[in-house]
Structure formats: C-alpha cells, structure tokens
Amino acid sequence: MTASVLLAGCDTDQVSLATNAKANQPVPPKLVAAMAEKDMDLQSPILVRLFKQEAELEVWKQTRSGQFALLKTYPICRWSGDLGPKVREGDRQAPEGFYSINPSQMNPQSAYYLSFNTGFPNAFDKALGRTGSQLMVHGDCSSRGCYAMTDEQIAEIYSLGRESFFGGQKAFQLQAYPFKMTPVNMAKHRNNPNMPFWKMIKEGYDHFEVTRQEPKVDFCEKRYVFDAAKSADAKRDPVFDASAKCPAYVIPEDIASAVREKQAKDEAEYAKLVAKGTPMARMNTGIDGGMNKIFAAKIPEGSTGLSEEAEGSTLQLLAMSKAPGTIPGHVNPPKPNLDAVAAAPAQEPAVAVSAPVANTRVASAQPAEKPQEKSQEKSEGGGFFSGLGRKMGFSTADTTATTPPPQAAAAAAPATTTTTPSSAASRLKAAVTRFVPGHDKSKDAAKDAPKPAVAAAKPAEPPKPQQPDTRLAQTRPALKPSVSDGASDSTQMAGAAPVVSSNSFESRFGAVK
C-alpha cells in the first residue's frame, strides 16, 4: 500500500523537492554571489536551454528588471542518439523542443543521484504520434536518450530549480536544441532532413533572444506557436489544440517586429554563407551521441562524438584542466557504430614478391616489439582497435604473422619490397579511424608503413593475453561537492552555509499549491 501511494503521488504536486540530504543541498555560495552581481534573487524564476552539438546546458535566471540573464553554463557529460528530435520509444534519441518542468517532475530519489523529467512527449510530440518515456536530465554521466551531467552538476541545477519553485514559479521552461540556432550552424546543416522542424523551433529561440522573456508556447495544426495572444476584438483568449486548426490569434507587434528584424539579418547571413560554399555537416556518422570536450579529454580513447571538438586547443591540453565533477568509471564515450564499420568496403593492397610461387601467400614475420613502440601503440589507441576486432569476431591469428614453409622462404629471400597483406583487424582499424573525430591519421600511417621482408623468419610468438581492466567505478558519496566551489572530501559543500531550511516541501510550497 505504501508503494502504491508513492507511485500515485509521482504525478502530483505533493512530491517533496527536498526529502533527503542530496535534494536539500544549498545553492553554492559562489552561485549566490554571482546572482547578487547580476541583480538576481535566490528564488527568482529560472529557464534552461540545452544544446547537443555544443554539449552545453545553460541556466538562465530572471533579474529584478524582469528579464532573464545567463547565470551559468554547464558542460554536458553525455547525451545519446543523433541531432534531431526523439521519434519513438527505444530510438536512444534525446528530445528536442520546448518542455515545461513542474515540481512533480523533480526526482529527489533518482537512481542517477538527482534528476528531473523533461516532460517528453509534449502535446506537439503526441500529435505526431511520437512515443517515449522517462527522458531525464540527471547525474551519473550515463545516457540512453537523456541528458546526463555529473552528480555535482545536477546537484547545483536541482538546487536552482528547487529554489525557483520555493519562490513561487509553478514550472520552468526547458528548451532543447540540436545546436545554437545561428546562421553558421543553419548553413552547415542545411541538407539535414530535420531542417523544417529546426526552423520551426528557431522561432521560439528567436523570441527568447530578442525579448529575454520566457516565450509562451502553444500548439495547433501539429506545429509550435510562440507568444500568441487574443486579437483586439476577441472576447476571450484563443484555445489551442495541437491536432486541430489554429484559432484566431495575434503576436504582439513589439515582439513580432523584433523577431522579423532578427530573422532578416539571419537569413541574409545564411545566404552569404551558402553562396560562399560553406561545407555541409556530415550526416549519420554512425556515432551514438556526444559529450563535451572537457569530459572527452579525461577519458582514455575518449571522443566528443557528435559534439563539437576543441577549438584552439587539443584534447591533450584540455586533459590538464579540471573536470567539473566526478567522472564515474563506467562512462561509455561516443564510439562508432560497429555495424556501420563492418559494412565499410575493405580494400586489399597488392603484395609484391620477387618470384611467383604457386598457391602460396607469403607473410613476413614481424620483428620483436620494442618497449617504446608498445607504449606508443597504447597511447594511440591500439588497444581500442584490437578490442573492436575481437568484438567483431576476428581471432588473434588474423593479426599475427606466420612462418612460411622452407621453399616459400627461399623464394622470398632476395625480395626487399615485400609487404604484409592487410589483416582483417587492420582493415577494421582503417575503417574505424574514419569515424573517430580528432584521430591523427599520420601516426597510423607511420605505424602501418610496409616493413621489408626478412630472409629468415623467426617463429611467431604467441600473443600475450590481454590484461583485464582492473579499474573500479568510484563509489559515489551521498553528497557531492559543489562544482562551483571545487572538489572537497567532505560530504557537505565546502564553505556552504545552509541557504534554505531542510523542512518539507509541504510547508514551503503551500502558497503555490
């Protein structure tokens, strides 16, 4: 009976926002100080924007002037799927569009530290028959259709949402985009089949950009409508239905004119970029989602995937910077789709020999591996490609040279230009490198350069068994230090005095109810 009551309460405003220590962590002092500098109140309304390509989450907060200003930008640790909206349950897509987050969608008991539900599907999604459930913004840096942060990050974001509800905000808006809706990005993705949808949600993006106010969102005729209001002669507000014909409405002229001016500038810039031949983004790279470059730099063989890579700095340089939160040991960075890699055509290089030998293929034995070469291979991702080869079903015999029979060795002795036929694993590696962003192909070319044949081949040494990964996922503490105040061994945020009392939501949110 207790479980039934809890489940029944999940969709009501009776859910407490601060039932445990994790959910009741105060807003970090540095963020409180930043609010004071930007003329914001602790409990003023918030608005959240998400960008897949940039792998960033922005928290905006209302100032005392009534407009929203950017409070903080959080790098996203992991998101899954591709650029584009979620269509059906199980497609691993993180949603795109406009969603409303009310107190019942906040989950203080989340298995992923803390979380809130995006509210997918909204009325527009339902009108198109789109399906999906439990699409969250949460911690743990693990995503299957969600936006995953570190535990420390979600603790801050959760506290900001909690305080806005305590201040009287009934719901905060979540805007999820494939990328920042700039002319450059629109030109790069002009051939993407999702462009009509992206142009539609760009209307809401533009409304927010010119007003710095949360746009009012409605749906009709299976499309979004922003900041709709009743006409001057109307007696009541228009009633919208996502699947029905749009009612009569108007957009306030001050907003409409500002949006038209912005869109005219964007379209002129877009036309210049297209005329100049701005390269179009590659579609369907076969990589599942992405992660911010700051996190990719911290993970062995990490990749930003479909997110943007570092500009002006390499992942090696970013690796020396501090990560905004704890990265768990089970993080799965974006990797190529193995089915797409296996389907890639393999080209067999020609083998040069000094004299033809009937029905015999000669492979020269590789020289003994030097310690420094072994360490270089590990640093350049050799272990990753070997692992992919084993997952694809290639045995170690495919990558190990065998000793030729005596007559074959004698025939091959004078040759100095003999090359080793490419193995299945090496072909797999060549195909994969086309999908891994930031991979240095020049190093692979140097590594895989043909080696001269030897007259006497040494017996091949059996391959060394792969050492198991003994790294353990770090046990998560009950509380996480604030990413604003730096890492701390204490379970309480360093230097943080309680900003709000730990009393129940019932007593604090009674006015809103």
Side-chain angles (χ1 to χ4, degrees):
M1 290 179 63
T2 302
S4 299
V5 172
L6 290 174
L7 290 174
C10 286
D11 295 326
T12 72
D13 286 349
Q14 304 301 319
V15 176
S16 175
L17 298 174
T19 57
N20 55 41
K22 290 187 299 183
N24 201 36
Q25 294 178 73
V27 176
K30 283 189 177 180
L31 271 184
V32 175
M35 293 177 201
E37 292 175 2
K38 298 181 179 184
D39 199 30
M40 301 169 179
D41 292 319
L42 174 64
Q43 295 185 342
S44 66
I46 67 168
L47 181 146
V48 174
R49 298 202 303 181
L50 289 158
F51 302 97
K52 289 181 178 178
Q53 182 173 278
E54 290 80 6
E56 291 179 347
L57 182 151
E58 296 177 345
V59 175
W60 294 69
K61 199 163 179 65
Q62 194 176 58
T63 66
R64 294 187 179 99
S65 69
Q67 290 187 316
F68 281 84
L70 181 62
L71 174 62
K72 186 170 180 178
T73 299
Y74 296 86
I76 297 175
C77 194
R78 191 74 169 89
W79 60 272
S80 60
D82 201 348
L83 300 182
K86 184 172 184 64
V87 176
R88 62 185 178 278
E89 184 87 45
D91 62 5
R92 292 185 62 85
Q93 284 290 101
E96 294 175 5
F98 287 71
Y99 299 90
S100 182
I101 316 300
N102 62 49
S104 70
Q105 292 163 246
M106 307 289 282
N107 185 6
Q109 305 290 345
S110 175
Y112 298 98
Y113 198 72
L114 291 167
S115 67
F116 62 84
N117 195 312
T118 62
F120 179 93
N122 61 20
F124 168 80
D125 300 319
K126 292 176 181 177
L128 295 180
R130 295 176 176 173
T131 58
S133 60
Q134 303 301 313
L135 280 305
M136 305 279 186
V137 177
H138 58 66
D140 200 48
C141 193
S142 175
S143 174
R144 288 176 293 182
C146 298
Y147 293 97
M149 319 299 293
T150 63
D151 292 354
E152 291 88 346
Q153 288 176 315
I154 195 62
E156 277 193 17
I157 298 166
Y158 188 98
S159 70
L160 292 170
R162 179 197 67 214
E163 292 303 314
S164 74
F165 292 134
F166 287 164
Q169 186 175 19
K170 293 184 178 180
F172 67 83
Q173 191 173 90
L174 173 71
Q175 304 176 5
Y177 299 100
F179 39 72
K180 293 188 176 179
M181 312 301 275
T182 63
V184 173
N185 283 333
M186 298 298 279
K188 286 180 180 178
H189 296 277
R190 60 187 180 274
N191 65 326
N192 194 295
N194 291 302
M195 186 53 69
F197 169 73
W198 291 340
K199 287 182 177 179
M200 180 173 61
I201 61 175
K202 183 181 182 294
E203 289 274 348
Y205 179 93
D206 292 340
H207 277 239
F208 180 74
E209 286 290 307
V210 301
T211 66
R212 287 292 187 255
Q213 298 277 2
E214 178 182 302
K216 177 176 172 286
V217 180
D218 289 297
F219 313 99
C220 61
E221 298 178 9
K222 299 181 180 180
R223 64 182 177 88
Y224 279 86
V225 177
F226 300 99
D227 289 321
K230 66 180 180 180
S231 57
D233 57 347
K235 295 182 180 180
R236 62 188 181 93
D237 291 333
V239 178
F240 288 88
D241 185 317
S243 300
K245 183 179 179 180
C246 291
Y249 69 89
V250 296
I251 298 175
E253 184 55 31
D254 57 336
I255 298 177
S257 60
V259 170
R260 283 195 301 267
E261 182 179 352
K262 179 184 184 303
Q263 290 178 344
K265 291 180 180 178
D266 288 350
E267 289 170 4
E269 181 64 22
Y270 171 88
K272 290 180 182 178
L273 292 167
V274 173
K276 192 170 64 175
T278 298
M280 290 185 287
R282 235 181 1 178
M283 293 175 56
N284 191 19
T285 61
I287 296 176
D288 177 27
M291 68 191 325
N292 191 279
K293 55 197 175 186
I294 190 66
F295 294 112
K298 309 293 180 185
I299 302 172
E301 301 172 355
S303 166
T304 55
L306 296 177
S307 299
E308 289 182 337
E309 294 191 44
E311 294 182 4
S313 61
T314 63
L315 293 182
Q316 287 79 6
L317 291 177
L318 286 171
M320 295 185 291
S321 60
K322 184 178 179 182
T326 304
I327 305 176
H330 58 259
V331 170
N332 181 26
K335 286 189 174 71
N337 186 313
L338 293 181
D339 292 336
V341 173
Q347 296 181 349
E348 190 79 21
V351 180
V353 293
S354 58
V357 180
N359 300 324
T360 304
R361 297 182 67 186
V362 180
S364 60
Q366 297 292 336
E369 184 180 45
K370 296 179 180 180
Q372 60 268 28
E373 292 175 344
K374 183 174 181 180
S375 61
Q376 181 183 14
E377 178 183 351
K378 289 184 179 179
S379 66
E380 294 175 355
F384 168 68
F385 295 111
S386 299
L388 281 181
R390 285 190 296 275
K391 290 179 181 178
M392 292 296 298
F394 301 115
S395 66
T396 55
D398 291 333
T399 57
T400 305
T402 57
T403 304
Q407 64 273 22
T416 57
T417 60
T418 302
T419 59
T420 304
S422 67
S423 64
S426 65
R427 293 197 303 272
L428 173 66
K429 177 178 177 180
V432 169
T433 54
R434 298 200 302 270
F435 293 94
V436 179
H439 187 78
D440 193 344
K441 297 183 177 63
S442 62
K443 293 182 179 181
D444 287 340
K447 251 186 8 172
D448 299 333
K451 294 181 172 59
V454 295
K458 295 181 180 180
E461 296 181 0
K464 296 181 180 180
Q466 186 181 14
Q467 295 297 325
D469 188 352
T470 57
R471 293 175 298 174
L472 298 177
Q474 182 177 355
T475 303
R476 290 179 294 161
L479 298 180
K480 294 289 180 178
S482 165
V483 294
S484 296
D485 295 330
S488 171
D489 294 332
S490 173
T491 57
Q492 181 71 25
M493 293 188 214
V499 179
V500 297
S501 61
S502 59
N503 55 338
S504 69
F505 168 77
E506 185 69 25
S507 61
R508 301 203 57 182
F509 204 75
V512 177
K513 283 206 307 178

